[in-house]
Amino acid sequence: DQHNLTHTGDILGTLRYMPPEAFEGQSDARSDVYSLGVTLYEFVTLKAAFDDSDRRILVRRISDGDVQQIPRHVPRDLATIIRKAIECDSKDRYQSSEMMRDDLERFVNDEAILARRPSVAERMLRWSRRNRALAASLSGIVSLLVVIAAIMSVAAIYFHNQEQIQTKLFEESEQLGKQNSRLLDEYRNAEAKAVETGEELRKTL
């Protein structure tokens, strides 16, 4: 009957060190890698990776992988190791603590680490996996914009061609007008000469 006891379904553990899958009752060695990564993040940055007083907001930020940015003064390889360890999707993390340890040893020994920074395309893919509904909406909007852009391009080409056709027709009609005007002048001149010739013939007769 006491309200301060743990109840069925409660989340056990310190929230900000828990991996996203723990909220769904799943856990394996990669979950420990995540917790180690969050701990290393705090050692290096001297701040919490997820810091919010509201438990619901904190759980949502952890589930969305909304971790605070690693400061720029942190060596790039070390930041890469931390990011890989705290990836939201367990498939994208180090698959064992030994793999994370080996990369840390490589960093300490100034050797090339095995982890690499994810490309922009990979980050977008991971984000879309975490935000399927929003990603689907954005994809629909992008597709609509592409279709609109294609229609506008086709329309622009069509009107450009029509403009060229109309310009050509105008030029041709202008040339025909000039030719008709010239022919009319020639006809009038011929008619005037014929009249003059007729008058001369009448006078002669």
Side-chain angles (χ1 to χ4, degrees), residues 100-167:
M100 180 178 176
R101 177 202 62 199
D102 292 343
D103 247 2
L104 285 170
E105 288 181 350
R106 291 186 185 92
F107 168 72
V108 171
N109 296 327
D110 198 22
E111 299 174 356
I113 63 173
L114 297 182
R116 61 179 179 81
R117 291 173 61 85
S119 64
V120 175
E122 288 174 330
R123 291 199 296 270
M124 290 180 63
L125 179 61
R126 293 175 187 178
W127 178 86
S128 64
R129 287 205 303 259
R130 296 195 302 268
N131 304 273
R132 295 183 184 277
L134 181 57
S137 299
L138 291 176
S139 177
I141 293 173
V142 171
S143 299
L144 180 60
L145 291 175
V146 169
V147 171
I148 293 174
I151 293 174
M152 292 181 65
S153 298
V154 172
I157 293 172
Y158 171 79
F159 286 118
H160 177 70
N161 291 337
Q162 288 299 312
E163 183 182 6
Q164 289 183 328
I165 292 172
Q166 293 299 325
T167 301

Side-chain angles (χ1 to χ4, degrees), residues 6 9 14 25 36 54 61 67 100 139 150 176-177 179 195-197:
T6 301
T14 306
L36 287 171
D54 190 313
R61 291 186 62 186
V67 63
M100 180 178 176
S139 177
L176 287 173
Q179 290 177 0
V195 170
E196 292 177 359
T197 302

Side-chain angles (χ1 to χ4, degrees), residues 2-205:
Q2 297 182 27
H3 297 289
N4 61 344
L5 298 179
T6 301
H7 296 277
T8 300
D10 282 353
I11 298 174
L12 301 180
T14 306
L15 278 181
R16 70 171 187 261
Y17 297 103
M18 297 179 65
E21 63 269 17
F23 301 130
E24 300 177 359
Q26 301 176 6
S27 180
D28 56 22
R30 296 170 296 185
S31 303
D32 295 332
V33 168
Y34 180 92
S35 300
L36 287 171
V38 173
T39 303
L40 180 58
Y41 177 101
E42 295 187 0
F43 279 144
V44 171
T45 65
L46 300 180
K47 64 180 181 180
F50 304 96
D51 189 15
D52 201 293
S53 57
D54 190 313
R55 285 172 58 90
R56 290 173 300 177
I57 296 177
L58 183 58
V59 169
R60 179 180 58 77
R61 291 186 62 186
I62 294 173
S63 299
D64 293 342
D66 187 17
V67 63
Q68 297 191 68
Q69 291 293 325
I70 299 176
R72 293 185 177 182
H73 69 266
V74 177
R76 181 172 178 174
D77 282 351
L78 181 57
T80 300
I81 292 172
I82 294 173
R83 289 193 187 95
K84 186 172 182 63
I86 61 175
E87 283 284 357
C88 187
D89 193 328
S90 60
K91 295 191 296 295
D92 298 323
R93 298 178 205 147
Y94 290 105
Q95 298 303 292
S96 68
S97 57
E98 288 79 12
M99 294 176 66
M100 180 178 176
R101 177 202 62 199
D102 292 343
D103 247 2
L104 285 170
E105 288 181 350
R106 291 186 185 92
F107 168 72
V108 171
N109 296 327
D110 198 22
E111 299 174 356
I113 63 173
L114 297 182
R116 61 179 179 81
R117 291 173 61 85
S119 64
V120 175
E122 288 174 330
R123 291 199 296 270
M124 290 180 63
L125 179 61
R126 293 175 187 178
W127 178 86
S128 64
R129 287 205 303 259
R130 296 195 302 268
N131 304 273
R132 295 183 184 277
L134 181 57
S137 299
L138 291 176
S139 177
I141 293 173
V142 171
S143 299
L144 180 60
L145 291 175
V146 169
V147 171
I148 293 174
I151 293 174
M152 292 181 65
S153 298
V154 172
I157 293 172
Y158 171 79
F159 286 118
H160 177 70
N161 291 337
Q162 288 299 312
E163 183 182 6
Q164 289 183 328
I165 292 172
Q166 293 299 325
T167 301
K168 186 176 181 180
L169 289 174
F170 175 77
E171 291 175 352
E172 290 178 352
S173 63
E174 193 175 33
Q175 290 176 358
L176 287 173
K178 291 179 179 179
Q179 290 177 0
N180 290 334
S181 178
R182 187 173 63 253
L183 290 173
L184 181 60
D185 291 339
E186 291 176 355
Y187 171 77
R188 286 174 178 174
N189 292 332
E191 185 180 19
K193 288 181 180 180
V195 170
E196 292 177 359
T197 302
E199 290 179 353
E200 290 177 357
L201 287 173
R202 281 197 301 271
K203 289 179 181 179
T204 303
L205 294 173

